[in-house]
Amino acid sequence: MNTLVTGGAGYIGSHTVIELLAAGHDVVVIDNLSNASRAVVPAIESLVGRELPFVECDIRDRDGLDRILASGGFEAVLHFAALKAVGESTAEPLRYHQNNVAGTICLLEAMAAHGVKRFVFSSSASVYGDPADTPIGEDCPVDPRSPYARTKAGVEGILHDVHAADPDWRVSILRYFNAVGAHPSGEIGEDPTGVPNNLLPFVAQVAVGRRERLNVFGDDYPTPDGTGIRDYLHVVDLARGHLSALDYLSATPGVSVHNLGTGRGHSVFEVVRAFEAACGRDIPYRVVSRRPGDVAVSWADPSKARDELRWTAQYDLDRICADLWRWQSTHPHGFRGRKA
């Protein structure tokens, strides 16, 4: 299948591009490089032994999107391009809605104009808010608690409306739990700009000496050790979920919603201990106040993805930490300073 991947130089997008190319799909990547490095592209090419067409373009650039879509003969779009930090979204809600919602509308308009109506959307488990029960199934009420989560829930609603107006659209909404880890080669991984917003990349930067200590945001949650519990999903497992979603769309019309997670939760302190075992170093930490927008417990019921997408996560927390440490220890400063 000929696919356009937005945000394909970013963390999840780049790992998905590798899986797409390895499976024989043709791929064009667009990315505005606001939170990614152009050096990802040659790294992907080296891993898969294929050229990867790349265009620097913002999803809000309608003229740029028209030029790309007019030239490609695309059959599907995988949409990863979004701002994604919960705390930052609380401070900059208009920026998040402009990029994540208005940008997606611009992309959908361009797709419709060029007759491309197969779409895989990167949503988030954050749309569930703070559910009363776990594990979280797709029938759990949507209750987003942050501007970031509201952008994801808002786009989900738009996609249902787009399909209702034009049933030719086939849409897969994938609600990610916590994407972590790195490619097993150690050649690509998460390379956040500035201070990492997520736990495991911060832990890895502490281990490699880039950060003095980890801040644990609250140890007074109603959990066994007082720290937040999350469902940590290896990024390669997550990437392969997108290939399963593409296959599903080929056979199934309409709009589908699937959780992508492992079905198991780990606390912050469990993650720290697992990473210490992987890297052979102590991770110093201090407990600080809770972070706005965080919830106590979030882990998936992935049974619908298992039954309908024929997808299940293969890698556990130990493998996640081992692959992440391989990336971080060999690329202590990520892609920063590399030339494309």
Side-chain angles (χ1 to χ4, degrees):
M1 189 177 293
N2 193 13
T3 59
L4 178 66
V5 179
T6 73
Y11 173 48
I12 300 171
S14 62
H15 286 79
T16 304
V17 167
I18 288 175
E19 297 301 319
L20 287 166
L21 292 171
H25 295 283
D26 293 319
V27 178
V28 174
V29 166
I30 66 171
D31 201 301
N32 68 1
L33 300 179
S34 63
N35 193 32
S37 170
R38 191 184 294 269
V40 172
V41 175
I44 292 172
E45 291 174 331
S46 176
L47 285 170
V48 300
R50 290 180 59 184
E51 183 179 356
L52 175 61
F54 171 80
V55 181
E56 186 173 347
C57 180
D58 193 288
I59 56 171
R60 294 166 292 183
D61 177 1
R62 177 58 190 274
D63 290 341
L65 292 176
D66 281 334
R67 286 192 295 271
I68 294 163
L69 287 165
S71 65
F74 296 103
E75 299 166 82
V77 173
L78 279 67
H79 181 35
F80 298 94
L83 301 173
K84 63 176 185 175
V86 170
E88 184 182 68
S89 76
T90 302
E92 302 179 68
L94 294 179
R95 178 170 168 247
Y96 268 67
H97 283 278
Q98 174 60 232
N99 187 90
N100 294 4
V101 180
T104 303
I105 291 171
C106 184
L107 175 62
L108 293 169
E109 289 174 337
M111 289 174 61
H114 295 274
V116 184
K117 297 183 180 181
R118 196 170 298 185
F119 191 69
V120 180
F121 175 57
S122 299
S123 190
S124 166
S126 66
V127 301
Y128 295 118
D130 193 1
D133 297 306
T134 52
I136 302 167
E138 290 84 354
D139 57 354
C140 178
V142 170
D143 183 25
R145 301 292 182 91
S146 68
Y148 164 72
R150 282 188 281 275
T151 67
K152 292 298 186 181
V155 171
E156 287 192 14
I158 289 168
L159 292 171
H160 283 283
D161 291 341
V162 166
H163 173 262
D166 181 357
D168 286 343
W169 281 85
R170 295 188 179 206
V171 176
S172 170
I173 295 170
L174 299 178
R175 291 175 177 167
Y176 305 167
F177 283 70
N178 291 61
V180 285
H183 193 268
S185 68
E187 291 303 311
I188 68 167
E190 189 167 9
D191 187 18
T193 301
V195 179
N197 290 291
N198 298 321
L199 173 63
L200 264 164
F202 201 110
V203 168
Q205 290 190 9
V206 172
V208 85
R210 287 177 62 180
R211 308 283 168 191
E212 182 180 358
R213 66 173 66 88
L214 170 70
N215 287 329
V216 176
F217 294 104
D219 64 352
D220 57 349
Y221 285 103
T223 62
D225 65 17
T227 64
I229 291 176
R230 298 290 183 271
D231 188 330
Y232 294 97
L233 175 64
H234 198 297
V235 66
V236 173
D237 279 329
L238 177 55
R240 290 170 180 166
H242 292 78
L243 274 69
S244 297
L246 274 181
D247 290 342
Y248 185 76
L249 287 184
S250 296
T252 312
V255 180
S256 61
V257 179
H258 294 93
N259 288 336
L260 295 185
T262 67
R264 180 179 179 186
H266 294 281
S267 75
V268 173
F269 288 148
E270 286 179 310
V271 170
V272 169
R273 289 193 294 269
F275 201 84
E276 287 177 334
C279 70
R281 304 179 183 187
D282 291 334
I283 305 296
Y285 69 86
R286 63 183 175 189
V287 177
V288 298
S289 299
R290 294 185 185 188
R291 187 168 53 181
D294 281 348
V295 300
V297 178
S298 177
W299 53 286
D301 175 358
S303 59
K304 187 180 178 190
R306 179 198 64 212
D307 295 342
E308 295 184 353
L309 303 185
R310 302 293 186 260
W311 173 90
T312 55
Q314 302 297 311
Y315 298 139
D316 62 11
L317 181 61
D318 290 339
R319 175 63 183 269
I320 286 167
C321 292
D323 287 344
L324 175 55
W325 180 238
R326 187 177 302 109
W327 152 256
Q328 194 71 81
S329 61
T330 56
H331 300 77
H333 296 282
F335 285 109
R336 308 306 175 211
R338 278 191 170 193
K339 294 182 179 179

